[in-house]
Coordinates of all heavy atoms in Angstrom, one line a residue:
F286 N -47.2 89.3 102.7 CA -46.2 90.2 102.1 C -45.4 90.9 103.3 O -46.1 91.2 104.3 CB -46.7 91.2 101.2 CG -47.3 90.7 99.9 CD1 -47.4 89.4 99.6 CD2 -47.6 91.5 98.8 CE1 -47.8 88.8 98.4 CE2 -48.1 91.1 97.6 CZ -48.2 89.7 97.4
T287 N -44.1 91.2 103.1 CA -43.5 92.0 104.0 C -42.7 93.1 103.4 O -41.9 92.8 102.5 CB -42.5 91.1 104.9 OG1 -43.2 90.1 105.5 CG2 -41.7 92.0 106.0
I288 N -42.8 94.3 103.7 CA -42.0 95.4 103.3 C -40.9 95.8 104.3 O -41.1 95.7 105.5 CB -42.9 96.6 103.0 CG1 -42.1 97.8 102.3 CG2 -43.5 97.2 104.3 CD1 -43.0 99.0 101.8
S289 N -39.7 96.1 103.8 CA -38.6 96.4 104.6 C -37.7 97.4 103.8 O -37.7 97.5 102.7 CB -37.8 95.1 105.0 OG -37.3 94.5 103.9
R290 N -36.9 98.1 104.7 CA -35.8 98.9 104.1 C -34.5 98.3 104.2 O -34.2 97.6 105.2 CB -35.8 100.3 104.9 CG -37.0 101.2 104.7 CD -36.8 102.5 105.5 NE -38.0 103.4 105.4 CZ -38.1 104.3 104.6 NH1 -37.2 104.5 103.7 NH2 -39.2 105.1 104.6
G291 N -33.6 98.5 103.2 CA -32.3 98.0 103.3 C -31.5 98.8 104.3 O -31.8 99.9 104.7
S292 N -30.3 98.2 104.8 CA -29.5 98.8 105.8 C -28.8 100.1 105.3 O -28.6 101.1 106.0 CB -28.4 97.8 106.2 OG -27.7 97.4 105.1
A293 N -28.7 100.2 104.0 CA -28.1 101.4 103.4 C -29.1 102.5 103.2 O -28.7 103.6 102.8 CB -27.4 101.0 102.1
Q294 N -30.4 102.2 103.5 CA -31.4 103.2 103.4 C -31.7 103.8 102.0 O -32.3 104.8 101.9 CB -31.1 104.4 104.4 CG -31.1 104.1 105.8 CD -32.5 103.8 106.3 OE1 -33.5 104.3 105.8 NE2 -32.7 102.8 107.3
N295 N -31.1 103.1 101.0 CA -31.5 103.5 99.6 C -32.2 102.4 98.8 O -32.3 102.5 97.6 CB -30.3 104.0 98.9 CG -29.3 102.8 98.6 OD1 -29.3 101.8 99.3 ND2 -28.5 102.9 97.5
T296 N -32.7 101.5 99.6 CA -33.4 100.4 99.0 C -34.6 100.0 99.8 O -34.7 100.2 101.1 CB -32.6 99.0 98.9 OG1 -32.0 98.7 100.2 CG2 -31.5 99.3 97.9
V297 N -35.6 99.5 99.1 CA -36.8 99.0 99.8 C -37.2 97.7 99.2 O -37.1 97.6 98.0 CB -38.0 100.0 99.7 CG1 -39.3 99.4 100.3 CG2 -37.7 101.4 100.3
Y298 N -37.6 96.7 100.0 CA -37.9 95.4 99.5 C -39.4 95.1 99.7 O -40.0 95.6 100.7 CB -37.0 94.4 100.2 CG -35.6 94.7 100.0 CD1 -34.8 95.2 101.1 CD2 -34.9 94.3 98.8 CE1 -33.4 95.5 100.9 CE2 -33.6 94.6 98.7 CZ -32.8 95.0 99.7 OH -31.4 95.3 99.6
L299 N -39.9 94.3 98.9 CA -41.2 93.6 99.2 C -41.0 92.1 99.0 O -40.9 91.6 97.9 CB -42.2 94.1 98.2 CG -43.7 93.7 98.5 CD1 -44.2 94.2 99.8 CD2 -44.7 94.0 97.3
E300 N -41.1 91.4 100.1 CA -41.1 90.0 100.1 C -42.5 89.5 100.0 O -43.3 89.8 100.9 CB -40.4 89.4 101.4 CG -40.4 87.9 101.5 CD -39.8 87.4 102.8 OE1 -39.3 88.3 103.6 OE2 -39.8 86.2 103.1
M301 N -42.7 88.6 99.0 CA -44.1 88.2 98.7 C -44.1 86.7 98.8 O -43.4 85.9 98.1 CB -44.6 88.6 97.3 CG -44.4 90.1 97.1 SD -45.1 90.7 95.5 CE -43.8 89.9 94.4
N302 N -44.9 86.2 99.7 CA -45.0 84.7 99.9 C -46.5 84.3 99.6 O -47.4 85.1 99.6 CB -44.6 84.4 101.4 CG -43.2 84.7 101.6 OD1 -42.3 84.3 100.8 ND2 -42.9 85.4 102.8
S303 N -46.7 83.0 99.4 CA -48.0 82.4 99.2 C -48.8 83.2 98.1 O -49.9 83.6 98.2 CB -48.8 82.4 100.5 OG -48.2 81.7 101.5
L304 N -48.0 83.4 97.0 CA -48.6 84.2 95.9 C -49.8 83.5 95.3 O -49.9 82.3 95.1 CB -47.5 84.5 94.9 CG -46.6 85.6 95.3 CD1 -45.3 85.5 94.4 CD2 -47.2 86.9 95.2
K305 N -50.8 84.3 94.9 CA -52.1 83.9 94.2 C -52.1 84.5 92.9 O -51.6 85.6 92.6 CB -53.2 84.4 95.1 CG -53.2 84.0 96.5 CD -54.3 84.7 97.3 CE -54.3 84.3 98.8 NZ -55.3 85.0 99.6
P306 N -52.9 83.8 92.0 CA -53.1 84.4 90.6 C -53.6 85.8 90.7 O -53.2 86.7 89.8 CB -54.1 83.5 90.0 CG -53.8 82.2 90.7 CD -53.5 82.5 92.1
E307 N -54.4 86.2 91.7 CA -55.0 87.5 91.7 C -53.8 88.5 92.2 O -54.1 89.8 92.2 CB -56.1 87.7 92.7 CG -55.9 87.0 94.1 CD -56.4 85.6 94.1 OE1 -56.2 84.8 93.2 OE2 -57.0 85.3 95.2
D308 N -52.7 88.1 92.5 CA -51.5 89.1 92.8 C -50.9 89.5 91.5 O -49.9 90.4 91.6 CB -50.5 88.4 93.7 CG -51.1 88.1 95.1 OD1 -51.8 89.0 95.6 OD2 -50.8 87.0 95.7
T309 N -51.3 88.9 90.4 CA -50.6 89.3 89.2 C -50.9 90.8 88.8 O -52.1 91.2 88.9 CB -51.2 88.5 88.0 OG1 -50.9 87.1 88.2 CG2 -50.8 89.0 86.6
A310 N -49.8 91.6 88.6 CA -50.0 93.0 88.4 C -48.7 93.6 88.1 O -47.6 92.9 88.1 CB -50.6 93.7 89.6
V311 N -48.6 94.8 87.7 CA -47.4 95.6 87.6 C -47.2 96.3 89.1 O -48.1 96.9 89.5 CB -47.4 96.6 86.6 CG1 -46.1 97.5 86.6 CG2 -47.6 96.0 85.1
Y312 N -46.1 96.0 89.6 CA -45.8 96.5 90.9 C -44.9 97.7 90.8 O -43.8 97.7 90.2 CB -45.1 95.5 91.8 CG -46.1 94.4 92.3 CD1 -46.7 93.6 91.4 CD2 -46.6 94.4 93.6 CE1 -47.7 92.6 91.8 CE2 -47.5 93.5 94.0 CZ -48.0 92.6 93.2 OH -49.0 91.7 93.6
Y313 N -45.3 98.8 91.5 CA -44.6 100.1 91.5 C -44.0 100.4 92.9 O -44.7 100.3 93.8 CB -45.5 101.2 91.0 CG -46.0 101.1 89.6 CD1 -47.2 100.4 89.3 CD2 -45.3 101.6 88.5 CE1 -47.6 100.2 88.1 CE2 -45.7 101.5 87.2 CZ -46.9 100.8 87.0 OH -47.4 100.7 85.8
C314 N -42.8 100.9 92.9 CA -42.2 101.5 94.0 C -42.5 103.0 94.1 O -42.6 103.6 93.1 CB -40.7 101.2 94.0 SG -39.8 101.9 95.4
S315 N -42.7 103.4 95.4 CA -43.0 105.0 95.5 C -42.2 105.5 96.7 O -41.9 104.7 97.6 CB -44.5 105.1 95.7 OG -44.9 104.7 97.1
A316 N -42.0 106.8 96.5 CA -41.4 107.5 97.6 C -42.1 108.9 97.8 O -42.1 109.7 96.9 CB -39.9 107.8 97.3
R317 N -42.8 109.0 99.0 CA -43.7 110.1 99.2 C -42.9 111.1 100.2 O -42.6 110.7 101.3 CB -45.1 109.7 99.7 CG -45.9 110.8 100.1 CD -47.4 110.3 100.4 NE -47.5 109.3 101.3 CZ -47.5 109.4 102.6 NH1 -47.6 110.6 103.1 NH2 -47.7 108.4 103.3
G318 N -42.8 112.3 99.6 CA -42.1 113.4 100.4 C -43.0 114.6 100.5 O -44.2 114.6 100.1
I319 N -42.3 115.7 101.1 CA -43.1 116.9 101.3 C -43.6 117.5 100.0 O -44.7 118.0 99.9 CB -42.2 117.9 102.0 CG1 -41.8 117.3 103.4 CG2 -42.9 119.3 102.1 CD1 -40.8 118.2 104.1
L320 N -42.8 117.3 98.9 CA -43.1 118.0 97.6 C -43.9 117.0 96.7 O -44.2 117.4 95.6 CB -41.8 118.4 96.9 CG -41.0 119.4 97.7 CD1 -39.7 119.8 96.9 CD2 -41.8 120.7 98.0
G321 N -44.2 115.9 97.1 CA -45.0 115.0 96.2 C -44.4 113.6 96.2 O -43.6 113.1 97.1
T322 N -45.0 112.8 95.4 CA -44.7 111.3 95.3 C -43.9 111.0 94.0 O -44.3 111.4 92.9 CB -46.0 110.5 95.4 OG1 -46.6 110.8 96.6 CG2 -45.7 109.0 95.3
H323 N -42.9 110.2 94.2 CA -42.1 109.7 93.1 C -42.5 108.2 92.8 O -42.7 107.5 93.7 CB -40.6 109.9 93.3 CG -40.2 111.4 93.7 ND1 -40.0 112.4 92.7 CD2 -40.1 112.0 94.9 CE1 -39.7 113.5 93.4 NE2 -39.8 113.3 94.7
W324 N -42.3 107.9 91.5 CA -42.6 106.5 91.2 C -41.6 105.9 90.3 O -40.9 106.6 89.6 CB -43.9 106.5 90.3 CG -45.1 107.0 91.1 CD1 -45.7 108.2 91.1 CD2 -46.0 106.2 91.9 NE1 -46.8 108.3 91.9 CE2 -47.1 107.1 92.3 CE3 -46.0 104.9 92.3 CZ2 -48.0 106.7 93.3 CZ3 -47.0 104.5 93.1 CH2 -48.0 105.4 93.6
G325 N -41.4 104.6 90.5 CA -40.6 103.8 89.6 C -41.4 103.5 88.3 O -42.5 103.8 88.1
Q326 N -40.6 102.7 87.4 CA -41.3 102.4 86.1 C -42.1 101.1 86.3 O -42.9 100.8 85.3 CB -40.2 102.2 85.1 CG -39.5 100.9 85.1 CD -38.6 100.5 86.2 OE1 -38.2 101.5 87.0 NE2 -38.2 99.3 86.4
G327 N -42.0 100.4 87.3 CA -42.8 99.2 87.5 C -42.1 98.0 87.1 O -41.2 97.9 86.2
T328 N -42.5 96.9 87.7 CA -42.0 95.5 87.4 C -43.2 94.5 87.4 O -44.0 94.6 88.3 CB -40.9 95.1 88.3 OG1 -40.3 93.8 87.9 CG2 -41.4 94.9 89.8
Q329 N -43.3 93.7 86.4 CA -44.4 92.8 86.2 C -44.2 91.6 87.1 O -43.1 90.9 87.0 CB -44.5 92.3 84.7 CG -45.6 91.3 84.4 CD -47.0 91.9 84.5 OE1 -47.3 93.0 84.1 NE2 -47.9 91.2 85.2
V330 N -45.2 91.2 87.8 CA -45.4 90.0 88.5 C -46.5 89.1 88.0 O -47.6 89.7 87.9 CB -45.5 90.2 90.0 CG1 -45.8 89.0 90.8 CG2 -44.3 90.9 90.6
T331 N -46.2 87.9 87.5 CA -47.3 87.1 87.0 C -47.3 85.8 87.8 O -46.3 85.2 87.9 CB -47.1 86.8 85.6 OG1 -47.0 88.0 84.7 CG2 -48.1 85.9 84.9
V332 N -48.5 85.5 88.4 CA -48.6 84.3 89.2 C -49.5 83.3 88.4 O -50.7 83.6 88.3 CB -49.3 84.6 90.5 CG1 -49.3 83.3 91.4 CG2 -48.4 85.7 91.3

């Protein structure tokens, strides 16, 4: 897997290769700042 930021600095990507059945999960994006951590609603990945 590779995590990266978009050039516009308002996006984050997760490139996932060689996926395995055990990678099946709901994947959540997070943003951790001084006042706490924010979460997205999640996206399902099924291998």
Side-chain angles (χ1 to χ4, degrees):
F286 291 11
T287 302
I288 188 171
S289 61
R290 291 183 184 265
S292 58
Q294 293 292 329
N295 67 337
T296 53
V297 177
Y298 302 101
L299 184 68
E300 180 182 352
M301 306 185 294
N302 298 308
S303 302
L304 283 161
K305 305 175 182 180
E307 51 263 44
D308 294 318
T309 295
V311 177
Y312 284 71
Y313 296 90
C314 178
S315 71
R317 177 165 53 88
I319 295 174
L320 299 180
T322 300
H323 305 276
W324 298 94
Q326 83 289 348
T328 184
Q329 176 71 44
V330 172
T331 302
V332 184

